[in-house]
Amino acid sequence: MSNPEIKNIYNCFRDSSSSINSLNTQALSENAKELEEKNLYDVLSSTIQQQLIFLDANKILPILNDIYSNIVKDLDLDFSNSLLTAFLMHTSFMLERLIKKQPLAYKHLNTLQRKYSNIYNVVYEHFLVIKDIFYCEIYETELAYIVEMFAEFAESKKTS
């Protein structure tokens, strides 16, 4: 997937987030958010499916979406379209790498595990389901990139 495609997806959802935030009533806001999330999910599914070789996005994205929701809940974070987009894209391609036994390397794994041990443990716990479903090894280095995403998001919310 090229950078312009990723930027277009991100801009589309960033702009729709801004319009949803401008709605005045709670009912309209909730309906708009549901529609936005459905549209985000549909666009991501289509985009990711075009890039996957072994897996079907329609089958893996619901699983990954549940994992995302559980992690966000356990870490007491707010829902974020940008974090969800990054998470679904990274983890979809991560699954293909895991099936091929070609995990990404991560230079400072031990440092990250110590610094963000809580986030790491939550992410690890929720990714055990992937191990059971796909019968593949879950590499610590791959989880490190996911931990990094959640850690950066959590830290950005503290400073906001």
Side-chain angles (χ1 to χ4, degrees), residues 99-112:
I99 289 169
K100 295 187 292 185
K101 297 182 182 188
Q102 298 175 340
L104 294 177
Y106 192 90
K107 219 173 193 173
H108 304 286
L109 178 63
N110 292 332
T111 303
L112 178 116

Side-chain angles (χ1 to χ4, degrees), residues 58-106:
N58 295 318
K59 292 181 181 176
I60 63 168
L61 289 181
I63 297 165
L64 295 173
N65 193 49
D66 286 347
I67 291 171
Y68 170 83
S69 296
N70 291 330
I71 292 170
V72 166
K73 180 182 170 198
D74 285 357
L75 296 176
D76 196 27
L77 297 173
D78 294 330
F79 177 87
S80 162
N81 280 335
S82 60
L83 181 59
L84 175 63
T85 300
F87 177 84
L88 291 177
M89 292 181 75
H90 176 79
T91 55
S92 295
F93 301 118
M94 177 191 86
L95 281 176
E96 290 225 325
R97 287 191 301 275
L98 295 179
I99 289 169
K100 295 187 292 185
K101 297 182 182 188
Q102 298 175 340
L104 294 177
Y106 192 90

Side-chain angles (χ1 to χ4, degrees), residues 45-159:
S45 179
S46 172
T47 303
I48 290 170
Q49 184 59 51
Q50 293 172 21
Q51 305 299 318
L52 294 176
I53 297 168
F54 301 113
L55 299 170
D56 181 354
N58 295 318
K59 292 181 181 176
I60 63 168
L61 289 181
I63 297 165
L64 295 173
N65 193 49
D66 286 347
I67 291 171
Y68 170 83
S69 296
N70 291 330
I71 292 170
V72 166
K73 180 182 170 198
D74 285 357
L75 296 176
D76 196 27
L77 297 173
D78 294 330
F79 177 87
S80 162
N81 280 335
S82 60
L83 181 59
L84 175 63
T85 300
F87 177 84
L88 291 177
M89 292 181 75
H90 176 79
T91 55
S92 295
F93 301 118
M94 177 191 86
L95 281 176
E96 290 225 325
R97 287 191 301 275
L98 295 179
I99 289 169
K100 295 187 292 185
K101 297 182 182 188
Q102 298 175 340
L104 294 177
Y106 192 90
K107 219 173 193 173
H108 304 286
L109 178 63
N110 292 332
T111 303
L112 178 116
Q113 287 173 320
R114 279 191 305 275
K115 184 174 182 181
Y116 301 111
S117 61
N118 179 51
I119 296 173
Y120 186 89
N121 291 333
V122 168
V123 169
Y124 176 82
E125 177 185 318
H126 289 293
F127 267 87
L128 290 175
V129 70
I130 294 297
K131 188 175 184 177
D132 294 340
I133 293 171
F134 294 99
Y135 305 105
C136 61
E137 183 66 32
I138 304 296
Y139 295 88
E140 292 179 329
T141 56
E142 287 285 359
L143 292 181
Y145 289 99
I146 299 166
V147 169
E148 218 175 55
M149 281 184 227
F150 284 101
E152 287 174 10
F153 180 77
E155 288 177 2
S156 74
K157 291 302 171 185
K158 286 180 186 176
T159 61

